[in-house]
Structures are given as C-alpha cells and as structure tokens.
C-alpha cells in the first residue's frame, strides 16, 4: 500500500494525534473480532447476548465461563507489529493519545501509557453491586465468584452492551479528540457508540481523519485518507515512512 505523500507531510507537522482502535487491531495477534463466528462450545452463543448485565444476572456461571475462555486465549497471544507501531507513535509524537475499544490489554502490554481503555480490561474485575475493584483474575473460591465485602457477584471490569462508559474515561477521550490535529480510526467498524462518534467530533473540529481497515465502514465516506489493509502492516509502514522509525 502506498502511503500518500500529503498524509506523510501532515503527520510530520502535527503535534496532537489521536488514534482510536477496535477489535481489528488485535486480529493479527489471533483474537477474533466480535462479528466473526465463535468457535467450539461457544459457536452457538451470540456474544451480543452474553456481554450484557442482564445475561450475567440471568446466568452468571455461563457468562463467567465465557470470560474465562476468552481470558485464557487472550493470555496466550502477543501484541503484533500494529501494537508496536502505536507504542512508537507515542514515543515520537509530542501529544499522542491512544483510545481503544479493546478489552484485551494488548496495547498496555505492548507499552502504550497515554492510553484510554474505553471499554475496560478483561483481566480486571469489580463488584457488580458497588463497582469497587476486586483483586484476582480467575482464582476465586466460589463459582460464580462473590465479593468478599458485600457478597454480591464479582464481574469482569468491562463495559457491557447497554452500559455507560466510565465518565472520566469518556471525558478524557472527548477532550483529546477535540484537540486532535489528526485522528486515526484503526480496525473498528465504527458501529459501537459512543466511540463511533469520536472521529466525527474530530472532523467537526477540523482534524484530518484517517481510516486504516481492510474493508469499508460506515465512516469511510467521511474520512480524508483511507489506508486499506491490515493494521499490522500499514501502521509500521506509516511510522517508518513518516518518522523514519521502526
Ligand atoms: P468490530 O468487530 O465491529 O470491527 C472490526 C473491524 O476491524 C472491521 O471493520 C474489520 O474490517 C476490521 N479489521 C479486520 N481485520 C483487520 C486488520 N487486520 N487490521 C485492521 N482492521 C481490521 O470491532 P469494534 O469496532 O472494535 O467493535 C466491537 C466491540 O467488541 C467493541 O466494543 C470491542 O470492545 C469489543 N471487542 C473487543 C475485542 C478485543 O478486545 N480484542 C475483540 C472483539 C470485540
């Protein structure tokens, strides 16, 4: 894929760049996106039906088992060259922020620190009743696990469908998006709100919008640059050509 010269010039001049990532960024690490078929035992379940507070209240053992399975395979994969390139961007760009919809923790593992995990992190837990953080990932005595303080259910610290984002995360995401000179939308179908509205907000504020995705999305007609392809290939190439790095 040829990176357009005018994009390279814009990136070199920009101090404030924001990247928003989705499940596509982790695909080359071996993590399936939500909209792909699930495998084995889980093939018959729709993730959209499992990742809800109602599903957990109805059948906590089933949903906990699903998270246990996801944690296991996520813990066996590694960040890919796309993740590594985003760490390099944080090092090279004066005011870089990474906003992710992914809950797999791979950006943190790769080394990004100016990072907003908009939908939480699958390796953390919290009390369903009081929201307090709970130590431990999967090593609880009871199943489904119960909060040692109040006896309520322990749940993964992720944002489920129908739930609100953590206010401080959303506020910071809005703040950096509004200030961005360039906004990169990478590996996301741009369907899940409120993340999907961030590139539109950046556009409204005059930012240059870039999409990196092998397929078109609902955002495609609105962006200034479309880089069609896998993020694990395009991001390292972009960093190499623009900043002579990676
Ligand atoms: P999505 O599944 O709706 O869309 C994934 C997008 O990635 C698609 O547009 C697809 O064309 C693109 N894509 C596929 N391969 C790619 C590649 N190699 N490089 C770049 N792009 C690629 O994902 P979404 O938009 O993130 O929304 C789904 C929701 O599911 C989010 O809320 C997210 O939290 C959650 N989710 C997270 C993970 C994870 O943490 N890894 C995995 C599945 C779902």
């Amino acid at each position: 894929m040829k990176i357009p010269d005018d994009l390279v010039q814009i990136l070199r001049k920009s101090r404030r760049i924001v990247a928003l990532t989705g499940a596509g960024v982790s695909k080359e690490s071996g993590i399936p996106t939500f909209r792909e078929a699930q495998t084995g035992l889980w093939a018959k379940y729709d993730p959209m039906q499992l990742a809800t507070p109602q599903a957990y209240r109805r059948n906590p053992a089933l949903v906990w088992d699903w998270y246990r399975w996801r944690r296991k395979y996520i813990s066996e994969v590694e960040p890919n060259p796309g993740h590594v390139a985003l760490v390099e961007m944080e090092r090279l760009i004066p005011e870089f922020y990474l906003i992710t919809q992914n809950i797999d923790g791979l950006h943190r593992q790769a080394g990004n620190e100016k990072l907003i995990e908009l939908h939480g992190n699958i390796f953390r837990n919290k009390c369903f009743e009081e929201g307090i953080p709970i130590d431990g990932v999967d090593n609880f005595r009871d199943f489904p696990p119960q909060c040692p303080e109040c006896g309520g259910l322990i749940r993964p610290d992720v944002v489920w469908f129908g739930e609100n984002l953590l206010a401080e995360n959303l506020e910071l995401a809005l703040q950096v998006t509004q200030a961005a000179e360039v906004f990169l939308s990478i590996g996301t179908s741009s369907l899940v709100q409120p993340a999907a509205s961030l590139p539109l907000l950046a556009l409204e504020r005059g930012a240059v919008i870039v999409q990196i995705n092998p397929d078109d999305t609902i955002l495609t007609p609105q962006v200034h640059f479309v880089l069609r392809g896998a993020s694990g290939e395009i991001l390292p190439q972009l960093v190499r050509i623009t900043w002579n790095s990676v």
Side-chain angles (χ1 to χ4, degrees):
M1 154 97 220
K2 164 98 177 77
I3 311 280
D5 288 340
D6 36 350
L7 173 59
V8 172
Q9 297 312 323
I10 290 169
L11 288 169
R12 279 189 189 145
K13 277 193 281 184
S14 301
R15 292 182 58 81
R16 295 185 303 277
I17 300 182
V18 169
L20 169 70
T21 62
V25 166
S26 294
K27 190 167 166 180
E28 288 153 275
S29 291
I31 302 179
T33 64
F34 246 10
R35 282 163 237 281
E36 291 173 331
Q38 302 288 291
T39 53
L41 171 67
W42 297 104
K44 60 178 187 283
Y45 295 99
D46 175 2
M48 301 283 205
Q49 303 301 323
L50 289 172
T52 70
Q54 295 79 3
Y56 196 45
R57 294 248 186 244
R58 202 163 46 236
N59 194 342
L62 174 79
V63 175
W64 192 268
D65 256 345
W66 183 56
Y67 275 94
R68 210 147 48 177
W69 171 73
R70 294 180 71 201
R71 281 169 172 153
K72 182 167 183 317
Y73 77 65
I74 292 173
S75 64
E76 288 164 359
V77 308
E78 297 286 336
N80 65 57
H83 293 105
V84 175
L86 287 162
V87 179
E88 196 57 8
M89 286 171 81
E90 180 174 314
R91 194 179 71 76
L92 292 162
I93 298 159
E95 291 177 54
F96 177 77
Y97 244 99
L98 177 56
I99 305 170
T100 188
Q101 300 168 82
N102 295 344
I103 56 170
D104 56 33
L106 287 179
H107 288 304
R108 196 171 289 284
Q109 193 183 326
N112 278 105
E113 287 175 1
K114 285 157 88 178
L115 173 67
I116 305 168
E117 290 178 317
L118 218 46
H119 294 169
N121 187 310
I122 197 170
F123 294 104
R124 287 195 311 254
N125 291 302
K126 64 180 182 184
C127 171
F128 205 164
E129 306 310 323
E130 290 156 355
I132 55 164
I134 302 282
D135 286 341
V137 179
D138 248 333
N139 51 341
F140 300 105
R141 213 188 36 194
D142 311 309
F143 182 76
Q146 283 163 14
C147 174
E149 297 294 325
C150 73
L153 282 168
I154 293 175
R155 56 166 283 181
D157 188 3
V158 297
V159 178
W160 280 330
F161 291 105
E163 293 186 314
N164 291 330
L165 307 191
L166 199 65
E168 66 200 52
N169 279 345
L170 183 57
E171 261 162 45
L172 182 57
L174 290 170
Q175 190 186 318
V176 296
T177 297
Q178 281 168 348
E181 293 162 89
V182 179
F183 189 99
L184 310 168
S185 174
I186 313 166
T188 171
S189 56
S190 291
L191 292 173
V192 176
Q193 291 293 357
S197 61
L198 294 175
L200 301 177
L201 175 62
L203 182 68
E204 216 176 273
R205 297 293 170 118
V208 171
I209 315 295
V210 183
Q211 178 173 264
I212 301 176
N213 198 310
D215 296 326
D216 283 342
T217 73
I218 192 168
L219 182 69
T220 308
Q222 315 237 44
V223 309
H224 298 98
F225 295 95
V226 178
L227 305 183
R228 257 193 202 87
S231 50
E233 288 166 23
I234 292 190
L235 281 171
Q237 192 189 350
L238 190 71
V239 171
R240 197 169 47 244
I241 292 171
T242 308
W243 295 281
N244 214 0
S245 184
V246 176

